[in-house]
Amino acid sequence: MKKKTTLYHPVINFQMIINNLLVSYTDAGKEGSPVIIFIHGFPFNKSMWNLQVESLKDNYRLITYDIRGHGNSDAGNEDFSIDLFASDLIGLMDALKIDRAILCGLSMGGYIALNVMGKHHERFDALILSDTQCIADTPEAKEKRMRAIESIKETGVEKYAEESIKNLFASESFTTRLKEIEDVREMIVKTSDQSLISTLLALSVRKETCNILPEIKVPVLIMVGKGDKITPPAAAGFMHEKIKGSLLRIIDHAGHLSNLENPDEFNVQLKKFVASVY
Ligand code: MLT
């Protein structure tokens, strides 16, 4: 009898044209197994999920990709919007012939995940919302984004990266997570000024998605760093209340980037959750 072999794919960067745009992605893990798609936050790139891919690759097919204008994906000519990013995600799934998947989004990745859930819920088996929220920008938040745009134009991306990093990480990470801070700084400064500005504008006009939360019928895990200053635990608690049956996990020793600041705890929760889905 012929022995059936299981194929494992290493993490390799691929490129593909999706919605007339060159998109960079990775497609790793175990062939034929459930698919998890990871959506990064702003202004980062797919490499922020490396540790999650590493920890899940024996049992799942794992897709990471660079949102347009980030990492190695082209920016294209259209104005950025969360709707456009959501349509790119569906384009990626179609191109890779992925009918259904688990979606895991951090911060802006969560905005995209909730947007796409509102339109294509039948494509998703479960949802992981990390360090994110469902509300739209308040007038103060919009104002802050406009100031960030001015600062990028006037003083450049390095200064913007410096200011952002102060809010992204928990206080303790500034002594314990120096490599992660440097990695994030590099991700930010590698993003073009134009993409930073276009994404800040897109974030400032995004629509709220809180109204779809009671309609979500698939399993949902909500994670948030205990010290998240950008999308605090209260925002996660609000979504938890609205999504029936959702799980809420507060990640210790982490700020806004809980998957990077406490990957051990993040991955334990992630693995336990995805194992419960199928
Ligand atoms: C992110 O990490 O994606 C951003 O903090 C989201 C935002 O600025 O609203």
Side-chain angles (χ1 to χ4, degrees), residues 227-248:
D228 187 339
K229 299 187 274 263
I230 297 173
T231 50
F238 178 77
M239 294 191 295
H240 173 53
E241 272 174 31
K242 301 268 175 215
I243 308 176
K244 210 165 157 227
S246 61
L247 300 173
L248 174 63

Side-chain angles (χ1 to χ4, degrees), residues 6 8 29-30 33 53-62:
T6 311
Y8 291 91
K30 194 170 153 198
S33 51
V53 170
E54 192 52 38
S55 99
L56 291 163
K57 70 180 182 333
D58 289 343
N59 296 306
Y60 298 91
R61 179 178 171 196
L62 304 156

Side-chain angles (χ1 to χ4, degrees), residues 21-41:
L21 188 88
L22 191 74
V23 172
S24 173
Y25 68 99
T26 66
D27 183 351
K30 194 170 153 198
E31 197 168 291
S33 51
V35 182
I36 309 175
I37 303 176
F38 293 90
I39 322 172
H40 63 78

Side-chain angles (χ1 to χ4, degrees), residues 19-242:
N19 291 348
N20 296 319
L21 188 88
L22 191 74
V23 172
S24 173
Y25 68 99
T26 66
D27 183 351
K30 194 170 153 198
E31 197 168 291
S33 51
V35 182
I36 309 175
I37 303 176
F38 293 90
I39 322 172
H40 63 78
F42 168 77
F44 318 122
N45 62 55
K46 60 180 169 344
S47 71
M48 75 173 298
W49 297 113
N50 287 353
L51 291 174
Q52 283 65 51
V53 170
E54 192 52 38
S55 99
L56 291 163
K57 70 180 182 333
D58 289 343
N59 296 306
Y60 298 91
R61 179 178 171 196
L62 304 156
I63 310 290
T64 70
Y65 72 104
D66 291 331
I67 294 168
R68 64 168 72 208
H70 296 73
N72 295 319
S73 288
D74 283 350
N77 300 318
E78 289 174 70
D79 289 342
F80 287 2
S81 67
I82 300 298
D83 282 333
L84 182 64
F85 295 159
S87 139
D88 289 341
L89 169 63
I90 293 297
L92 177 72
M93 289 177 72
D94 290 345
L96 293 175
K97 301 200 173 1
I98 296 169
D99 279 346
R100 303 180 66 93
I102 295 177
L103 210 45
C104 174
L106 184 137
S107 197
M108 177 175 75
Y111 307 161
I112 298 168
L114 286 172
N115 178 302
V116 87
M117 274 301 286
K119 297 170 184 157
H120 301 279
H121 65 91
E122 72 291 346
R123 306 279 305 256
F124 302 100
D125 290 328
L127 196 56
I128 299 123
L129 297 170
S130 169
D131 302 280
T132 193
Q133 60 193 355
C134 61
I135 57 168
D137 268 10
T138 59
E140 295 74 30
K142 283 187 208 282
E143 183 57 35
K144 216 167 141 206
R145 298 215 198 263
M146 297 315 134
R147 283 202 301 275
I149 290 173
E150 285 315 307
S151 126
I152 293 164
K153 286 182 182 165
E154 280 165 22
T155 51
V157 66
E158 274 82 11
K159 180 93 191 309
Y160 172 72
E162 203 51 53
E163 289 304 311
S164 304
I165 281 168
K166 287 183 195 157
N167 286 323
L168 288 167
F169 289 88
S171 318
E172 63 188 279
S173 295
F174 290 94
T175 45
T176 57
R177 293 282 171 195
L178 299 183
K179 178 173 180 316
E180 288 74 11
I181 291 173
E182 274 325 297
D183 288 348
V184 165
R185 187 192 312 279
E186 202 177 315
M187 289 186 232
I188 300 175
V189 299
K190 275 190 172 162
T191 313
S192 73
D193 289 10
Q194 190 50 52
S195 289
L196 290 172
I197 292 169
S198 300
T199 314
L200 282 162
L201 288 173
L203 289 167
S204 77
V205 296
R206 74 180 189 283
K207 295 188 272 295
E208 63 100 3
T209 47
C210 306
N211 59 323
I212 71 142
L213 301 182
E215 309 301 322
I216 297 179
K217 300 289 182 266
V218 294
V220 177
L221 168 64
I222 300 166
M223 288 197 270
V224 60
K226 195 174 183 176
D228 187 339
K229 299 187 274 263
I230 297 173
T231 50
F238 178 77
M239 294 191 295
H240 173 53
E241 272 174 31
K242 301 268 175 215

